[in-house]
Amino acid sequence: MFTAIASLGIAYHRTSHASALPACDAQAIAKAGRGYVCTVKTKGGPVSWRVEVVVVSGSRTFRVFQDQKSGLYVSDDLGRHSHDSVMKESLCASPDYAAQKGNLTSVTWRVPSGHPRKLNGKKGFPDHDSDFVVLEEDGIRDAIPGLTTKWFTSSSEEDGDKSLYSSYGYDGEFGAVNAGCNGNGNVSLRCVGQVAQ
């Protein structure tokens, strides 16, 4: 009985705390410092996002975000790359993009998975939501500025078939995960990461 009440108290505290946070606003976030937290209203309830790191490198400023619901970290934009080069060159693990990843050595970075939910557990895909499906449901387009004019590549090969040379991609404007994202160097890359256990 006490455990149930205690867990209810924790759930209530998290919900009430999230609702007291400012709503995520692209202009405010683009200028926010480390530790800034805002909230996005989603179908599943409010989700908090945090500016985890701000790195100034020359004339550029990079921000790493954390989706506080899923725990996923999202890097800054690594620029435009083809799906093939992203995967073959392991760009999310490359030290060349350390600044875009906030120089976070405690985080293990990877190319986000991106298969649609309807393929969970089918065609060799895992039986859980892909990273981009999770981030979309948690309000990434409201929390991270600069997504709306871009497509982002994923690690998920179209229909699980590497011979197609095409991956699923995330549409930063509408939030859809679609096939046919081979990129030809014209899709952007953001890495996702988790703290190593």
Side-chain angles (χ1 to χ4, degrees), residues 131-175:
D131 295 325
F132 275 130
V133 169
V134 169
L135 293 168
E136 170 62 21
E137 290 210 336
D138 289 353
I140 186 174
R141 287 181 293 138
D142 291 316
I144 298 181
L147 300 185
T148 56
T149 59
K150 298 178 180 178
W151 273 83
F152 296 90
T153 192
S154 81
S155 62
S156 302
E157 305 286 346
E158 187 173 334
D159 293 333
D161 186 348
K162 288 185 175 7
S163 68
L164 294 174
Y165 298 104
S166 183
S167 75
Y168 286 97
Y170 175 71
D171 181 342
E173 184 173 2
F174 298 106

Side-chain angles (χ1 to χ4, degrees), residues 51-132:
V51 177
E52 198 62 31
V53 181
V54 178
V55 175
V56 178
S57 179
S59 62
R60 300 184 65 188
T61 301
F62 301 110
R63 283 178 174 77
V64 172
F65 302 85
Q66 188 187 32
D67 169 357
Q68 306 247 278
K69 182 178 178 185
S70 70
L72 286 173
Y73 291 83
V74 181
S75 76
D76 209 304
D77 200 315
L78 274 64
R80 294 176 180 265
H81 304 276
S82 68
H83 169 75
D84 201 35
S85 68
V86 165
M87 299 309 292
K88 281 185 177 173
E89 298 170 33
S90 301
L91 294 184
C92 283
S94 171
D96 294 343
Y97 296 97
Q100 287 90 332
K101 296 178 286 181
N103 299 313
L104 292 172
T105 55
S106 60
V107 175
T108 303
W109 295 98
R110 66 177 186 273
V111 179
S113 58
H115 63 275
R117 177 172 282 155
K118 65 184 179 184
L119 291 178
N120 286 0
K122 300 173 184 171
K123 297 191 177 185
F125 290 113
D127 195 15
H128 58 77
D129 287 339
S130 66
D131 295 325
F132 275 130

Side-chain angles (χ1 to χ4, degrees), residues 14-15 17-22 24 36-42 45-51 66-72 138 143:
R14 282 185 182 155
T15 305
H17 176 67
S19 62
L21 295 169
C24 291
Y36 178 82
V37 182
C38 61
T39 187
V40 177
K41 288 182 181 177
T42 72
V47 176
S48 298
W49 286 78
R50 173 183 159 97
V51 177
Q66 188 187 32
D67 169 357
Q68 306 247 278
K69 182 178 178 185
S70 70
L72 286 173
D138 289 353

